[in-house]
Amino acid sequence: MHKAGFVNIVGKPNAGKSTLLNQLMGEKLAIVTQKAQTTRHRIFGIYNEEDVQIVFSDTPGVLEPKYELQEKMMDFVKDSLQDADVFLFIVDVTDKEEPNEFLVDKLNKIPVPVLLLLNKMDVSNQEILVEKVEYWHKKIEKAEILPISALEGFNTELILPKLKSLLPENPPYYDKEQFTDKSERFFVNETIREKILLNYDKEIPYSVEVVTELFKEKEGIIFIDSIIYVERDTQKGILIGHKGEAIKKVGTEARIDLEKFFDKKIHINLFVKVKKDWRKNERDLKNFGYR
């Protein structure tokens, strides 16, 4: 008997979805920062055992779109609400704002199991936990609730056995050697974007898109040329920094992570170009992979 299915991870921005995906996969597939809207695309992580395959789907955090890029991001979320065998609904227990009612309503109506994960218990306490459990039992009655810390790995070992019990009998959907649906260039782009999110403030990280134009291995070294697109000339200057020091730091940090990921030496060149208002341009968004 072989089990296989799709498990979609949903929640608000910064709830810990990507951290959880990385924890469950034992691989860093999704970039993680403290900034909201870090995840822009839907990423599959394919977990394999001899008798089971779990296709995890990490999605952007649910929000009210303010411009075209965010509209496209929410399209990925809407797609994810239609094709799961199980939902992992991750909630930040430190979040004092009201839940996203669109998402709560969808999860109540969808006829598949919902495992509600109360995340960030490492920075919470028992009193808050009891309060949150009571609150969410009323909000989504069918959900099974589990307190976790995706960052610290608290209770995350309970998730995989639970998912295995809930998945239907199916042959594997993907080759058992495959662990993601994304290309090498995608992970290069995301790694560079993560370093920009970590090293720059205000609007700069959100105005950036990365495109890798060269990814070629020769004599055990991977040669990478990537273009970082921004929306304004002023942003280009900030991104490059005085005498190119800022962009050099991004390249160095990205190279270190990519050498670990690919287990090979990396030679990386970064270029910065201006593409005016690309976040609001339908054609640019399509070219960048936002359908």
Side-chain angles (χ1 to χ4, degrees):
M1 183 181 72
H2 187 280
K3 288 191 166 190
F6 291 83
V7 176
N8 295 353
I9 307 171
V10 295
K12 290 168 68 173
N14 254 11
K17 298 180 297 300
S18 297
T19 303
L20 178 66
L21 174 68
N22 293 339
Q23 181 72 242
L24 294 173
M25 288 293 300
E27 286 271 3
K28 186 179 177 181
L29 293 184
I31 63 174
V32 177
T33 77
Q34 293 299 314
K35 292 186 171 72
Q37 301 172 48
T38 296
T39 301
R40 286 180 176 172
H41 294 267
R42 189 179 182 188
I43 303 168
F44 282 177
I46 305 165
Y47 175 88
N48 290 296
E49 289 184 9
E50 186 177 343
D51 60 349
V52 68
Q53 182 177 87
I54 305 174
V55 185
F56 290 106
S57 171
D58 184 24
T59 55
V62 178
L63 48 75
E64 289 295 328
K66 294 179 180 176
Y67 45 83
E68 281 77 1
L69 171 60
Q70 291 183 344
E71 293 275 5
K72 301 296 183 185
M73 289 161 59
M74 289 309 96
D75 285 344
F76 291 132
V77 176
K78 289 172 186 174
D79 286 349
S80 77
L81 292 170
Q82 298 176 29
D83 59 6
D85 295 291
V86 182
F87 280 97
L88 292 180
F89 178 31
I90 188 162
V91 174
D92 179 353
V93 292
T94 68
D95 184 5
K96 294 181 172 57
E97 296 181 4
E98 289 295 310
N100 184 283
E101 289 301 331
F102 163 78
L103 186 53
V104 171
D105 183 58
K106 282 285 187 182
L107 292 174
N108 271 313
K109 290 177 179 176
I110 287 169
V112 298
V114 176
L115 184 56
L116 196 157
L117 305 173
L118 296 176
N119 191 31
K120 305 189 182 179
M121 288 307 303
D122 52 307
V123 291
S124 188
N125 58 51
Q126 190 68 24
E127 185 180 342
I128 292 174
L129 174 59
V130 171
E131 178 186 312
K132 293 288 185 179
V133 168
E134 290 177 356
Y135 176 85
W136 282 107
H137 264 313
K138 293 175 184 176
K139 275 284 184 184
I140 307 178
E141 289 184 10
K142 69 176 179 181
E144 182 174 345
I145 298 176
L146 177 67
I148 69 163
S149 168
L151 183 65
E152 298 296 332
F154 170 68
N155 271 353
T156 54
E157 77 281 359
L158 303 177
I159 298 173
L160 287 174
K162 171 56 68 175
L163 293 177
K164 292 174 194 176
S165 72
L166 294 172
L167 289 178
E169 290 183 30
N170 279 316
Y173 291 98
Y174 293 89
D175 187 285
K176 285 283 192 158
E177 298 301 312
Q178 192 171 345
F179 69 97
T180 183
D181 65 322
K182 298 300 184 186
S183 68
E184 291 98 339
R185 293 184 188 220
F186 175 84
F187 289 104
V188 173
N189 298 343
E190 288 291 272
T191 300
I192 294 167
R193 197 167 63 82
E194 179 187 58
K195 302 314 171 191
I196 292 169
L197 280 157
L198 293 171
N199 281 287
Y200 298 84
D201 293 322
K202 299 179 181 176
E203 190 64 15
I204 295 293
Y206 302 104
S207 302
V208 160
E209 185 66 29
V210 183
V211 175
T212 294
E213 294 204 327
L214 174 71
F215 184 97
K216 185 176 182 180
E217 185 173 350
K218 185 178 179 182
E219 297 177 358
I221 301 173
I222 299 174
F223 293 86
I224 295 169
D225 287 353
S226 298
I227 299 173
I228 302 170
Y229 288 99
V230 292
E231 294 188 305
R232 305 274 186 276
D233 286 317
T234 51
Q235 293 168 348
K236 179 178 179 179
I238 294 169
L239 197 62
I240 293 172
H242 181 62
K243 294 184 179 180
E245 290 176 2
I247 198 67
K248 183 179 179 182
K249 185 171 187 284
V250 168
T252 299
E253 292 180 2
R255 177 183 56 75
I256 291 168
D257 276 14
L258 290 168
E259 286 184 340
K260 291 177 184 175
F261 186 80
F262 292 110
D263 196 25
K264 293 182 185 295
K265 287 288 185 183
I266 300 286
H267 183 277
I268 187 168
N269 292 313
L270 299 181
F271 307 91
V272 184
K273 294 184 179 181
V274 177
K275 190 173 281 290
K276 187 174 172 58
D277 293 330
W278 68 263
R279 287 185 296 174
K280 300 176 182 178
N281 186 294
E282 192 77 27
R283 182 183 295 176
D284 288 338
L285 288 168
K286 189 174 181 179
N287 289 337
F288 287 147
Y290 302 96
R291 50 181 172 64

